[in-house]
Short mmCIF file of all heavy atoms in Angstrom, two decimals:
data_model
loop_
_atom_site.label_atom_id
_atom_site.label_comp_id
_atom_site.label_asym_id
_atom_site.label_seq_id
_atom_site.Cartn_x
_atom_site.Cartn_y
_atom_site.Cartn_z
N MET Z 1 0.86 -1.18 -0.01
CA MET Z 1 0.01 0.01 0.00
C MET Z 1 0.88 1.23 0.00
O MET Z 1 1.96 1.23 0.56
CB MET Z 1 -0.88 0.05 1.23
CG MET Z 1 -1.96 -0.99 1.27
SD MET Z 1 -3.29 -0.55 0.23
CE MET Z 1 -4.43 -1.82 0.67
N ALA Z 2 0.39 2.29 -0.62
CA ALA Z 2 1.07 3.57 -0.65
C ALA Z 2 0.04 4.66 -0.47
O ALA Z 2 -1.10 4.51 -0.87
CB ALA Z 2 1.80 3.76 -1.97
N MET Z 3 0.44 5.73 0.23
CA MET Z 3 -0.41 6.87 0.37
C MET Z 3 0.05 7.95 -0.59
O MET Z 3 1.27 8.19 -0.72
CB MET Z 3 -0.37 7.43 1.80
CG MET Z 3 -1.04 6.55 2.81
SD MET Z 3 -2.82 6.29 2.53
CE MET Z 3 -3.47 7.92 2.76
N LEU Z 4 -0.90 8.53 -1.33
CA LEU Z 4 -0.57 9.53 -2.34
C LEU Z 4 -1.35 10.78 -2.02
O LEU Z 4 -2.57 10.76 -1.89
CB LEU Z 4 -0.97 8.98 -3.71
CG LEU Z 4 -0.74 9.89 -4.91
CD1 LEU Z 4 0.75 10.15 -5.08
CD2 LEU Z 4 -1.31 9.25 -6.16
N SER Z 5 -0.61 11.89 -1.84
CA SER Z 5 -1.25 13.19 -1.61
C SER Z 5 -1.66 13.77 -2.96
O SER Z 5 -1.08 13.48 -3.97
CB SER Z 5 -0.31 14.12 -0.90
OG SER Z 5 -0.02 13.65 0.37
N ARG Z 6 -2.61 14.67 -2.91
CA ARG Z 6 -3.13 15.25 -4.12
C ARG Z 6 -3.08 16.77 -3.99
O ARG Z 6 -3.50 17.34 -3.01
CB ARG Z 6 -4.57 14.80 -4.34
CG ARG Z 6 -5.19 15.28 -5.58
CD ARG Z 6 -6.59 14.73 -5.70
NE ARG Z 6 -7.04 14.80 -7.06
CZ ARG Z 6 -7.98 14.09 -7.62
NH1 ARG Z 6 -8.59 13.20 -6.89
NH2 ARG Z 6 -8.30 14.23 -8.87
N ARG Z 7 -2.59 17.39 -5.02
CA ARG Z 7 -2.70 18.85 -5.16
C ARG Z 7 -3.92 19.10 -6.03
O ARG Z 7 -4.30 18.19 -6.78
CB ARG Z 7 -1.46 19.41 -5.83
CG ARG Z 7 -0.27 19.42 -4.94
CD ARG Z 7 0.84 20.25 -5.55
NE ARG Z 7 1.99 20.24 -4.69
CZ ARG Z 7 3.20 20.55 -5.07
NH1 ARG Z 7 3.42 20.90 -6.30
NH2 ARG Z 7 4.19 20.51 -4.20
N PRO Z 8 -4.51 20.26 -5.97
CA PRO Z 8 -5.69 20.47 -6.81
C PRO Z 8 -5.41 20.15 -8.28
O PRO Z 8 -4.53 20.67 -8.90
CB PRO Z 8 -5.95 22.00 -6.63
CG PRO Z 8 -5.38 22.33 -5.31
CD PRO Z 8 -4.16 21.42 -5.17
N GLY Z 9 -6.16 19.14 -8.75
CA GLY Z 9 -6.07 18.74 -10.13
C GLY Z 9 -4.92 17.86 -10.52
O GLY Z 9 -4.83 17.47 -11.69
N ARG Z 10 -4.06 17.48 -9.60
CA ARG Z 10 -2.97 16.59 -10.00
C ARG Z 10 -2.49 15.72 -8.86
O ARG Z 10 -2.43 16.09 -7.70
CB ARG Z 10 -1.79 17.39 -10.60
CG ARG Z 10 -1.07 18.30 -9.64
CD ARG Z 10 -0.02 19.07 -10.39
NE ARG Z 10 1.12 18.23 -10.61
CZ ARG Z 10 2.36 18.66 -10.76
NH1 ARG Z 10 2.58 19.95 -10.75
NH2 ARG Z 10 3.36 17.82 -10.94
N LEU Z 11 -2.10 14.52 -9.27
CA LEU Z 11 -1.57 13.53 -8.31
C LEU Z 11 -0.04 13.46 -8.38
O LEU Z 11 0.56 12.96 -7.45
CB LEU Z 11 -2.14 12.14 -8.62
CG LEU Z 11 -3.65 11.98 -8.45
CD1 LEU Z 11 -4.09 10.66 -9.01
CD2 LEU Z 11 -3.98 12.08 -6.99
N GLY Z 12 0.51 13.87 -9.49
CA GLY Z 12 1.96 13.82 -9.65
C GLY Z 12 2.47 12.50 -10.18
O GLY Z 12 3.63 12.17 -10.04
N ILE Z 13 1.58 11.74 -10.84
CA ILE Z 13 2.02 10.51 -11.50
C ILE Z 13 1.54 10.50 -12.93
O ILE Z 13 0.46 11.04 -13.24
CB ILE Z 13 1.52 9.25 -10.76
CG1 ILE Z 13 0.00 9.24 -10.67
CG2 ILE Z 13 2.19 9.08 -9.42
CD1 ILE Z 13 -0.57 7.97 -10.03
N GLU Z 14 2.33 9.90 -13.78
CA GLU Z 14 1.93 9.67 -15.19
C GLU Z 14 1.86 8.16 -15.37
O GLU Z 14 2.77 7.43 -14.97
CB GLU Z 14 2.94 10.28 -16.12
CG GLU Z 14 2.52 10.15 -17.59
CD GLU Z 14 3.56 10.76 -18.52
OE1 GLU Z 14 4.52 11.43 -18.08
OE2 GLU Z 14 3.38 10.58 -19.72
N LEU Z 15 0.78 7.69 -15.95
CA LEU Z 15 0.53 6.26 -16.13
C LEU Z 15 0.45 5.89 -17.59
O LEU Z 15 0.02 6.68 -18.44
CB LEU Z 15 -0.80 5.90 -15.48
CG LEU Z 15 -0.95 6.19 -13.99
CD1 LEU Z 15 -2.39 5.94 -13.55
CD2 LEU Z 15 -0.01 5.39 -13.15
N ASP Z 16 0.83 4.62 -17.87
CA ASP Z 16 0.59 4.11 -19.23
C ASP Z 16 -0.84 3.50 -19.24
O ASP Z 16 -1.54 3.52 -18.21
CB ASP Z 16 1.68 3.13 -19.61
CG ASP Z 16 1.66 1.79 -18.91
OD1 ASP Z 16 0.70 1.50 -18.12
OD2 ASP Z 16 2.60 1.02 -19.08
N PRO Z 17 -1.30 2.96 -20.36
CA PRO Z 17 -2.66 2.43 -20.43
C PRO Z 17 -2.93 1.23 -19.51
O PRO Z 17 -4.09 0.88 -19.25
CB PRO Z 17 -2.80 1.99 -21.89
CG PRO Z 17 -1.83 2.87 -22.62
CD PRO Z 17 -0.68 3.04 -21.68
N ASP Z 18 -1.88 0.64 -18.95
CA ASP Z 18 -2.06 -0.47 -18.00
C ASP Z 18 -2.02 0.00 -16.54
O ASP Z 18 -1.87 -0.82 -15.63
CB ASP Z 18 -0.97 -1.53 -18.22
CG ASP Z 18 -1.11 -2.20 -19.58
OD1 ASP Z 18 -2.23 -2.48 -20.00
OD2 ASP Z 18 -0.06 -2.46 -20.22
N ASN Z 19 -2.11 1.31 -16.31
CA ASN Z 19 -2.00 1.90 -14.96
C ASN Z 19 -0.64 1.61 -14.33
O ASN Z 19 -0.54 1.46 -13.13
CB ASN Z 19 -3.14 1.43 -14.04
CG ASN Z 19 -4.44 2.11 -14.42
OD1 ASN Z 19 -4.52 3.31 -14.51
ND2 ASN Z 19 -5.47 1.30 -14.66
N ARG Z 20 0.39 1.58 -15.16
CA ARG Z 20 1.78 1.41 -14.67
C ARG Z 20 2.40 2.78 -14.62
O ARG Z 20 2.30 3.57 -15.59
CB ARG Z 20 2.57 0.49 -15.62
CG ARG Z 20 3.96 0.20 -15.08
CD ARG Z 20 4.70 -0.79 -15.97
NE ARG Z 20 4.93 -0.27 -17.31
CZ ARG Z 20 6.00 0.38 -17.70
NH1 ARG Z 20 6.98 0.58 -16.87
NH2 ARG Z 20 6.11 0.81 -18.94
N ILE Z 21 3.06 3.12 -13.57
CA ILE Z 21 3.70 4.43 -13.37
C ILE Z 21 4.91 4.54 -14.31
O ILE Z 21 5.78 3.73 -14.30
CB ILE Z 21 4.11 4.66 -11.90
CG1 ILE Z 21 2.88 4.61 -10.99
CG2 ILE Z 21 4.85 5.96 -11.75
CD1 ILE Z 21 3.18 4.66 -9.54
N VAL Z 22 4.87 5.60 -15.13
CA VAL Z 22 5.96 5.86 -16.04
C VAL Z 22 6.77 7.12 -15.64
O VAL Z 22 7.91 7.28 -16.08
CB VAL Z 22 5.50 5.96 -17.54
CG1 VAL Z 22 4.97 4.63 -17.99
CG2 VAL Z 22 4.49 7.05 -17.71
N SER Z 23 6.19 7.99 -14.81
CA SER Z 23 6.95 9.11 -14.25
C SER Z 23 6.31 9.60 -12.98
O SER Z 23 5.11 9.45 -12.79
CB SER Z 23 7.12 10.24 -15.28
OG SER Z 23 5.91 10.88 -15.52
N LEU Z 24 7.13 10.16 -12.12
CA LEU Z 24 6.70 10.73 -10.84
C LEU Z 24 7.13 12.19 -10.75
O LEU Z 24 8.25 12.53 -11.07
CB LEU Z 24 7.34 9.96 -9.69
CG LEU Z 24 6.92 8.53 -9.48
CD1 LEU Z 24 7.88 7.82 -8.52
CD2 LEU Z 24 5.49 8.45 -8.98
N MET Z 25 6.19 13.04 -10.29
CA MET Z 25 6.47 14.43 -10.06
C MET Z 25 5.90 14.78 -8.67
O MET Z 25 5.26 13.96 -8.06
CB MET Z 25 5.76 15.29 -11.13
CG MET Z 25 6.23 14.98 -12.55
SD MET Z 25 4.91 15.14 -13.77
CE MET Z 25 4.02 13.63 -13.56
N SER Z 26 6.12 15.99 -8.21
CA SER Z 26 5.57 16.41 -6.94
C SER Z 26 4.05 16.44 -7.09
O SER Z 26 3.53 16.82 -8.15
CB SER Z 26 6.09 17.82 -6.64
OG SER Z 26 5.55 18.28 -5.45
N PRO Z 27 3.29 15.99 -6.17
CA PRO Z 27 3.58 15.57 -4.80
C PRO Z 27 3.87 14.07 -4.62
O PRO Z 27 4.14 13.61 -3.53
CB PRO Z 27 2.32 15.93 -4.06
CG PRO Z 27 1.22 15.71 -5.03
CD PRO Z 27 1.83 16.11 -6.36
N ALA Z 28 3.89 13.30 -5.70
CA ALA Z 28 4.08 11.84 -5.63
C ALA Z 28 5.48 11.39 -5.30
O ALA Z 28 5.72 10.25 -4.93
CB ALA Z 28 3.57 11.19 -6.89
N THR Z 29 6.47 12.28 -5.48
CA THR Z 29 7.85 11.88 -5.31
C THR Z 29 8.17 11.36 -3.90
O THR Z 29 9.06 10.55 -3.73
CB THR Z 29 8.82 12.99 -5.72
OG1 THR Z 29 8.46 14.19 -5.00
CG2 THR Z 29 8.81 13.24 -7.21
N GLY Z 30 7.45 11.81 -2.91
CA GLY Z 30 7.70 11.36 -1.53
C GLY Z 30 6.73 10.30 -1.06
O GLY Z 30 6.69 10.00 0.12
N SER Z 31 5.99 9.68 -1.96
CA SER Z 31 4.93 8.75 -1.60
C SER Z 31 5.42 7.31 -1.40
O SER Z 31 4.66 6.48 -0.89
CB SER Z 31 3.86 8.74 -2.68
OG SER Z 31 4.38 8.20 -3.87
N GLY Z 32 6.62 6.99 -1.86
CA GLY Z 32 7.06 5.59 -1.79
C GLY Z 32 6.78 4.84 -3.07
O GLY Z 32 7.21 3.73 -3.26
N LEU Z 33 6.05 5.49 -3.99
CA LEU Z 33 5.77 4.84 -5.31
C LEU Z 33 7.06 4.85 -6.11
O LEU Z 33 7.93 5.69 -5.94
CB LEU Z 33 4.69 5.60 -6.03
CG LEU Z 33 3.31 5.56 -5.40
CD1 LEU Z 33 2.37 6.55 -6.11
CD2 LEU Z 33 2.72 4.16 -5.49
N GLN Z 34 7.15 3.89 -7.08
CA GLN Z 34 8.31 3.81 -7.92
C GLN Z 34 7.83 3.67 -9.35
O GLN Z 34 6.77 3.12 -9.63
CB GLN Z 34 9.15 2.59 -7.59
CG GLN Z 34 9.77 2.64 -6.24
CD GLN Z 34 10.60 1.38 -5.91
OE1 GLN Z 34 10.80 0.55 -6.77
NE2 GLN Z 34 11.02 1.28 -4.68
N ILE Z 35 8.68 4.16 -10.31
CA ILE Z 35 8.41 3.95 -11.70
C ILE Z 35 8.37 2.44 -11.93
O ILE Z 35 9.22 1.70 -11.45
CB ILE Z 35 9.45 4.66 -12.58
CG1 ILE Z 35 9.29 6.16 -12.44
CG2 ILE Z 35 9.35 4.23 -14.03
CD1 ILE Z 35 10.35 7.01 -13.10
N GLY Z 36 7.35 2.00 -12.66
CA GLY Z 36 7.16 0.57 -12.93
C GLY Z 36 6.11 -0.08 -12.07
O GLY Z 36 5.64 -1.17 -12.34
N ASP Z 37 5.69 0.60 -10.95
CA ASP Z 37 4.63 0.05 -10.11
C ASP Z 37 3.29 0.09 -10.89
O ASP Z 37 3.02 1.03 -11.64
CB ASP Z 37 4.42 0.92 -8.86
CG ASP Z 37 5.53 0.76 -7.85
OD1 ASP Z 37 6.36 -0.13 -7.95
OD2 ASP Z 37 5.55 1.60 -6.91
N TYR Z 38 2.48 -0.95 -10.68
CA TYR Z 38 1.16 -1.00 -11.28
C TYR Z 38 0.15 -0.62 -10.19
O TYR Z 38 0.20 -1.17 -9.09
CB TYR Z 38 0.83 -2.39 -11.76
CG TYR Z 38 1.57 -2.83 -12.99
CD1 TYR Z 38 2.83 -3.40 -12.92
CD2 TYR Z 38 1.01 -2.61 -14.26
CE1 TYR Z 38 3.52 -3.78 -14.05
CE2 TYR Z 38 1.71 -2.98 -15.42
CZ TYR Z 38 2.95 -3.56 -15.30
OH TYR Z 38 3.66 -3.95 -16.42
N ILE Z 39 -0.73 0.30 -10.48
CA ILE Z 39 -1.77 0.67 -9.51
C ILE Z 39 -2.96 -0.24 -9.76
O ILE Z 39 -3.50 -0.34 -10.87
CB ILE Z 39 -2.18 2.16 -9.69
CG1 ILE Z 39 -0.94 3.02 -9.41
CG2 ILE Z 39 -3.32 2.49 -8.75
CD1 ILE Z 39 -1.17 4.48 -9.58
N LEU Z 40 -3.37 -0.99 -8.72
CA LEU Z 40 -4.43 -1.96 -8.79
C LEU Z 40 -5.75 -1.45 -8.22
O LEU Z 40 -6.82 -1.85 -8.66
CB LEU Z 40 -4.03 -3.24 -8.06
CG LEU Z 40 -2.71 -3.88 -8.51
CD1 LEU Z 40 -2.39 -5.06 -7.59
CD2 LEU Z 40 -2.77 -4.30 -9.93
N GLU Z 41 -5.63 -0.57 -7.21
CA GLU Z 41 -6.81 -0.14 -6.47
C GLU Z 41 -6.56 1.25 -5.88
O GLU Z 41 -5.42 1.56 -5.51
CB GLU Z 41 -7.00 -1.13 -5.34
CG GLU Z 41 -8.24 -1.03 -4.52
CD GLU Z 41 -8.35 -2.15 -3.53
OE1 GLU Z 41 -8.69 -3.29 -3.90
OE2 GLU Z 41 -8.05 -1.90 -2.33
N VAL Z 42 -7.60 2.07 -5.82
CA VAL Z 42 -7.52 3.38 -5.17
C VAL Z 42 -8.66 3.51 -4.16
O VAL Z 42 -9.84 3.30 -4.51
CB VAL Z 42 -7.51 4.54 -6.17
CG1 VAL Z 42 -8.77 4.54 -7.04
CG2 VAL Z 42 -7.33 5.87 -5.49
N ASP Z 43 -8.33 3.80 -2.91
CA ASP Z 43 -9.34 4.02 -1.85
C ASP Z 43 -10.35 2.90 -1.81
O ASP Z 43 -11.54 3.12 -1.58
CB ASP Z 43 -10.02 5.38 -2.04
CG ASP Z 43 -9.04 6.53 -1.88
OD1 ASP Z 43 -7.99 6.37 -1.27
OD2 ASP Z 43 -9.34 7.62 -2.41
N GLY Z 44 -9.90 1.64 -2.02
CA GLY Z 44 -10.78 0.49 -1.96
C GLY Z 44 -11.50 0.16 -3.24
O GLY Z 44 -12.23 -0.82 -3.31
N PHE Z 45 -11.35 0.93 -4.26
CA PHE Z 45 -12.00 0.70 -5.56
C PHE Z 45 -11.00 0.06 -6.52
O PHE Z 45 -9.98 0.68 -6.90
CB PHE Z 45 -12.51 2.00 -6.17
CG PHE Z 45 -13.64 2.60 -5.42
CD1 PHE Z 45 -13.40 3.54 -4.40
CD2 PHE Z 45 -14.97 2.27 -5.68
CE1 PHE Z 45 -14.44 4.12 -3.71
CE2 PHE Z 45 -16.00 2.85 -4.98
CZ PHE Z 45 -15.75 3.78 -3.96
N PRO Z 46 -11.25 -1.19 -6.98
CA PRO Z 46 -10.33 -1.82 -7.93
C PRO Z 46 -10.42 -1.10 -9.28
O PRO Z 46 -11.49 -0.68 -9.73
CB PRO Z 46 -10.84 -3.26 -8.01
CG PRO Z 46 -12.19 -3.26 -7.44
CD PRO Z 46 -12.34 -2.04 -6.60
N LEU Z 47 -9.26 -0.97 -9.95
CA LEU Z 47 -9.24 -0.32 -11.25
C LEU Z 47 -9.70 -1.26 -12.39
O LEU Z 47 -10.32 -0.80 -13.33
CB LEU Z 47 -7.84 0.22 -11.59
CG LEU Z 47 -7.24 1.19 -10.58
CD1 LEU Z 47 -5.94 1.75 -11.12
CD2 LEU Z 47 -8.18 2.29 -10.24
N GLY Z 48 -9.39 -2.52 -12.29
CA GLY Z 48 -9.75 -3.45 -13.36
C GLY Z 48 -9.15 -2.95 -14.67
O GLY Z 48 -7.95 -2.71 -14.71
N GLU Z 49 -9.93 -2.81 -15.68
CA GLU Z 49 -9.46 -2.35 -16.98
C GLU Z 49 -9.54 -0.83 -17.14
O GLU Z 49 -9.21 -0.30 -18.18
CB GLU Z 49 -10.30 -3.03 -18.12
CG GLU Z 49 -10.16 -4.54 -18.14
CD GLU Z 49 -8.76 -5.01 -18.50
OE1 GLU Z 49 -8.15 -4.42 -19.40
OE2 GLU Z 49 -8.26 -5.95 -17.82
N GLU Z 50 -10.08 -0.13 -16.12
CA GLU Z 50 -10.25 1.31 -16.23
C GLU Z 50 -9.02 2.07 -15.75
O GLU Z 50 -8.25 1.58 -14.90
CB GLU Z 50 -11.49 1.76 -15.46
CG GLU Z 50 -12.76 1.14 -16.02
CD GLU Z 50 -14.00 1.74 -15.38
OE1 GLU Z 50 -14.44 2.80 -15.84
OE2 GLU Z 50 -14.49 1.13 -14.44
N MET Z 51 -8.86 3.27 -16.25
CA MET Z 51 -7.74 4.13 -15.83
C MET Z 51 -8.01 4.71 -14.45
O MET Z 51 -9.16 4.94 -14.08
CB MET Z 51 -7.50 5.25 -16.86
CG MET Z 51 -7.03 4.76 -18.23
SD MET Z 51 -5.44 3.94 -18.15
CE MET Z 51 -4.35 5.24 -17.59
N LEU Z 52 -6.94 5.00 -13.72
CA LEU Z 52 -7.02 5.58 -12.40
C LEU Z 52 -7.90 6.82 -12.38
O LEU Z 52 -8.78 6.94 -11.54
CB LEU Z 52 -5.64 5.91 -11.88
CG LEU Z 52 -5.57 6.67 -10.55
CD1 LEU Z 52 -6.13 5.82 -9.42
CD2 LEU Z 52 -4.15 7.08 -10.22
N VAL Z 53 -7.68 7.73 -13.30
CA VAL Z 53 -8.45 9.00 -13.31
C VAL Z 53 -9.92 8.73 -13.51
O VAL Z 53 -10.77 9.40 -12.95
CB VAL Z 53 -7.88 10.00 -14.36
CG1 VAL Z 53 -8.12 9.51 -15.76
CG2 VAL Z 53 -8.47 11.38 -14.15
N THR Z 54 -10.31 7.71 -14.27
CA THR Z 54 -11.72 7.34 -14.47
C THR Z 54 -12.33 6.91 -13.17
O THR Z 54 -13.44 7.33 -12.83
CB THR Z 54 -11.83 6.24 -15.54
OG1 THR Z 54 -11.21 6.68 -16.75
CG2 THR Z 54 -13.28 5.85 -15.79
N ILE Z 55 -11.62 6.07 -12.40
CA ILE Z 55 -12.13 5.59 -11.14
C ILE Z 55 -12.25 6.74 -10.13
O ILE Z 55 -13.23 6.86 -9.40
CB ILE Z 55 -11.26 4.45 -10.58
CG1 ILE Z 55 -11.26 3.23 -11.50
CG2 ILE Z 55 -11.69 4.06 -9.15
CD1 ILE Z 55 -12.62 2.59 -11.71
N LEU Z 56 -11.28 7.61 -10.12
CA LEU Z 56 -11.34 8.79 -9.22
C LEU Z 56 -12.57 9.64 -9.53
O LEU Z 56 -13.32 10.02 -8.62
CB LEU Z 56 -10.05 9.62 -9.36
CG LEU Z 56 -8.79 9.03 -8.80
CD1 LEU Z 56 -7.58 9.88 -9.22
CD2 LEU Z 56 -8.81 8.90 -7.29
N ASP Z 57 -12.79 9.93 -10.81
CA ASP Z 57 -13.93 10.75 -11.20
C ASP Z 57 -15.25 10.03 -10.98
O ASP Z 57 -16.21 10.62 -10.46
CB ASP Z 57 -13.81 11.17 -12.67
CG ASP Z 57 -12.68 12.17 -12.92
OD1 ASP Z 57 -12.21 12.80 -11.93
OD2 ASP Z 57 -12.27 12.32 -14.07
N LYS Z 58 -15.36 8.77 -11.40
CA LYS Z 58 -16.60 8.02 -11.31
C LYS Z 58 -17.08 7.89 -9.87
O LYS Z 58 -18.27 7.90 -9.59
CB LYS Z 58 -16.40 6.65 -11.92
CG LYS Z 58 -17.70 5.83 -12.02
CD LYS Z 58 -17.63 4.41 -12.46
CE LYS Z 58 -16.55 4.01 -13.38
NZ LYS Z 58 -16.71 2.59 -13.81
N ASN Z 59 -16.14 7.76 -8.95
CA ASN Z 59 -16.51 7.59 -7.52
C ASN Z 59 -16.36 8.85 -6.70
O ASN Z 59 -16.43 8.78 -5.46
CB ASN Z 59 -15.65 6.45 -6.96
CG ASN Z 59 -15.98 5.12 -7.61
OD1 ASN Z 59 -17.06 4.57 -7.43
ND2 ASN Z 59 -15.09 4.64 -8.45
N ASN Z 60 -16.16 9.97 -7.39
CA ASN Z 60 -16.06 11.28 -6.72
C ASN Z 60 -14.99 11.28 -5.61
O ASN Z 60 -15.23 11.80 -4.52
CB ASN Z 60 -17.42 11.71 -6.16
CG ASN Z 60 -17.50 13.20 -5.94
OD1 ASN Z 60 -16.81 13.98 -6.63
ND2 ASN Z 60 -18.30 13.60 -4.99
N LEU Z 61 -13.84 10.66 -5.89
CA LEU Z 61 -12.73 10.61 -4.94
C LEU Z 61 -11.88 11.83 -5.13
O LEU Z 61 -11.12 11.93 -6.10
CB LEU Z 61 -11.91 9.29 -5.19
CG LEU Z 61 -12.70 8.01 -5.08
CD1 LEU Z 61 -11.86 6.83 -5.46
CD2 LEU Z 61 -13.29 7.85 -3.67
N ARG Z 62 -11.94 12.76 -4.23
CA ARG Z 62 -11.28 14.05 -4.38
C ARG Z 62 -10.08 14.25 -3.47
O ARG Z 62 -9.40 15.23 -3.53
CB ARG Z 62 -12.28 15.17 -4.11
CG ARG Z 62 -13.48 15.15 -5.01
CD ARG Z 62 -13.19 15.82 -6.32
NE ARG Z 62 -14.35 15.75 -7.18
CZ ARG Z 62 -14.35 15.26 -8.42
NH1 ARG Z 62 -13.22 14.78 -8.93
NH2 ARG Z 62 -15.42 15.25 -9.13
N GLY Z 63 -9.80 13.31 -2.57
CA GLY Z 63 -8.59 13.45 -1.75
C GLY Z 63 -8.89 14.29 -0.52
O GLY Z 63 -10.01 14.37 -0.08
N PRO Z 64 -7.93 14.86 0.13
CA PRO Z 64 -6.58 15.27 -0.37
C PRO Z 64 -5.56 14.17 -0.41
O PRO Z 64 -4.48 14.35 -0.93
CB PRO Z 64 -6.15 16.33 0.64
CG PRO Z 64 -6.79 15.93 1.91
CD PRO Z 64 -8.11 15.30 1.51
N GLU Z 65 -5.88 12.95 0.11
CA GLU Z 65 -4.95 11.84 0.01
C GLU Z 65 -5.74 10.61 -0.48
O GLU Z 65 -6.95 10.51 -0.32
CB GLU Z 65 -4.32 11.50 1.37
CG GLU Z 65 -3.38 12.54 1.88
CD GLU Z 65 -2.66 12.11 3.13
OE1 GLU Z 65 -3.13 11.21 3.85
OE2 GLU Z 65 -1.61 12.71 3.42
N HIS Z 66 -4.97 9.70 -1.12
CA HIS Z 66 -5.57 8.45 -1.61
C HIS Z 66 -4.71 7.30 -1.18
O HIS Z 66 -3.47 7.38 -1.17
CB HIS Z 66 -5.66 8.48 -3.14
CG HIS Z 66 -6.51 9.57 -3.67
ND1 HIS Z 66 -7.88 9.53 -3.61
CD2 HIS Z 66 -6.19 10.73 -4.26
CE1 HIS Z 66 -8.38 10.64 -4.15
NE2 HIS Z 66 -7.36 11.38 -4.53
N GLU Z 67 -5.36 6.20 -0.85
CA GLU Z 67 -4.63 4.96 -0.52
C GLU Z 67 -4.60 4.09 -1.76
O GLU Z 67 -5.68 3.81 -2.34
CB GLU Z 67 -5.31 4.20 0.62
CG GLU Z 67 -4.55 3.00 1.08
CD GLU Z 67 -5.15 2.36 2.30
OE1 GLU Z 67 -5.78 3.08 3.10
OE2 GLU Z 67 -4.99 1.14 2.44
N LEU Z 68 -3.43 3.68 -2.20
CA LEU Z 68 -3.28 2.90 -3.39
C LEU Z 68 -2.77 1.52 -3.04
O LEU Z 68 -1.92 1.34 -2.22
CB LEU Z 68 -2.23 3.54 -4.35
CG LEU Z 68 -2.50 4.98 -4.80
CD1 LEU Z 68 -1.35 5.44 -5.64
CD2 LEU Z 68 -3.82 5.08 -5.54
N ARG Z 69 -3.32 0.51 -3.71
CA ARG Z 69 -2.78 -0.82 -3.66
C ARG Z 69 -2.04 -1.00 -4.94
O ARG Z 69 -2.56 -0.76 -6.03
CB ARG Z 69 -3.86 -1.88 -3.53
CG ARG Z 69 -3.27 -3.28 -3.25
CD ARG Z 69 -4.35 -4.27 -2.75
NE ARG Z 69 -5.39 -4.46 -3.72
CZ ARG Z 69 -5.37 -5.45 -4.64
NH1 ARG Z 69 -4.37 -6.28 -4.71
NH2 ARG Z 69 -6.36 -5.56 -5.49
N ILE Z 70 -0.78 -1.42 -4.86
CA ILE Z 70 0.07 -1.52 -6.04
C ILE Z 70 0.66 -2.91 -6.18
O ILE Z 70 0.63 -3.72 -5.22
CB ILE Z 70 1.23 -0.50 -5.99
CG1 ILE Z 70 2.15 -0.76 -4.77
CG2 ILE Z 70 0.70 0.94 -5.97
CD1 ILE Z 70 3.45 -0.04 -4.80
N ARG Z 71 1.13 -3.19 -7.39
CA ARG Z 71 1.96 -4.38 -7.61
C ARG Z 71 3.29 -3.92 -8.10
O ARG Z 71 3.38 -3.10 -9.02
CB ARG Z 71 1.27 -5.29 -8.67
CG ARG Z 71 2.08 -6.57 -8.90
CD ARG Z 71 1.43 -7.47 -9.92
NE ARG Z 71 1.86 -7.01 -11.23
CZ ARG Z 71 1.10 -6.88 -12.30
NH1 ARG Z 71 -0.17 -7.14 -12.23
NH2 ARG Z 71 1.60 -6.44 -13.45
N ARG Z 72 4.32 -4.42 -7.45
CA ARG Z 72 5.68 -4.05 -7.82
C ARG Z 72 6.42 -5.27 -8.31
O ARG Z 72 6.45 -6.30 -7.62
CB ARG Z 72 6.42 -3.44 -6.62
CG ARG Z 72 7.85 -3.02 -6.93
CD ARG Z 72 8.38 -2.19 -5.78
NE ARG Z 72 7.70 -0.92 -5.71
CZ ARG Z 72 7.59 -0.17 -4.63
NH1 ARG Z 72 8.18 -0.54 -3.51
NH2 ARG Z 72 6.95 0.98 -4.64
N GLU Z 73 6.96 -5.19 -9.52
CA GLU Z 73 7.72 -6.30 -10.07
C GLU Z 73 9.05 -6.41 -9.31
O GLU Z 73 9.69 -5.43 -8.99
CB GLU Z 73 8.01 -6.06 -11.54
CG GLU Z 73 6.73 -5.93 -12.41
CD GLU Z 73 5.94 -7.19 -12.47
OE1 GLU Z 73 6.48 -8.30 -12.48
OE2 GLU Z 73 4.69 -7.07 -12.49
N VAL Z 74 9.41 -7.61 -8.99
CA VAL Z 74 10.66 -7.89 -8.30
C VAL Z 74 11.69 -8.31 -9.33
O VAL Z 74 11.44 -9.23 -10.09
CB VAL Z 74 10.47 -8.98 -7.22
CG1 VAL Z 74 11.79 -9.27 -6.53
CG2 VAL Z 74 9.42 -8.57 -6.22
N ALA Z 75 12.80 -7.64 -9.34
CA ALA Z 75 13.86 -7.94 -10.30
C ALA Z 75 14.45 -9.32 -9.93
O ALA Z 75 14.73 -9.62 -8.77
CB ALA Z 75 14.94 -6.88 -10.28
N ALA Z 76 14.68 -10.12 -10.98
CA ALA Z 76 15.31 -11.41 -10.75
C ALA Z 76 16.81 -11.24 -10.49
O ALA Z 76 17.46 -10.43 -11.15
CB ALA Z 76 15.09 -12.29 -11.98
N SER Z 77 17.28 -11.97 -9.50
CA SER Z 77 18.71 -11.84 -9.22
C SER Z 77 19.48 -12.83 -10.11
O SER Z 77 19.00 -13.88 -10.40
CB SER Z 77 18.97 -12.10 -7.73
OG SER Z 77 18.45 -13.39 -7.39
N SER Z 78 20.69 -12.44 -10.46
CA SER Z 78 21.51 -13.29 -11.32
C SER Z 78 22.41 -14.19 -10.52
O SER Z 78 22.84 -13.91 -9.50
CB SER Z 78 22.39 -12.52 -12.27
OG SER Z 78 21.94 -11.26 -12.51
#
């Protein structure tokens, strides 16, 4: 789990179509999220095939903070 603060109109993350984090900006840089993390759920709402912003809007989730459930790929050791 990660906590993500929200500034008006922005979370500070950029996602690809699979809800995988491709870049982090303020305020997300101090959240513990990492590039490559997949966001699976926000505030108890699973994303499924929908984008994070769609779930936030559809469920009127305005913050100022959001709890995210993520999946982080573990690098294979050589």
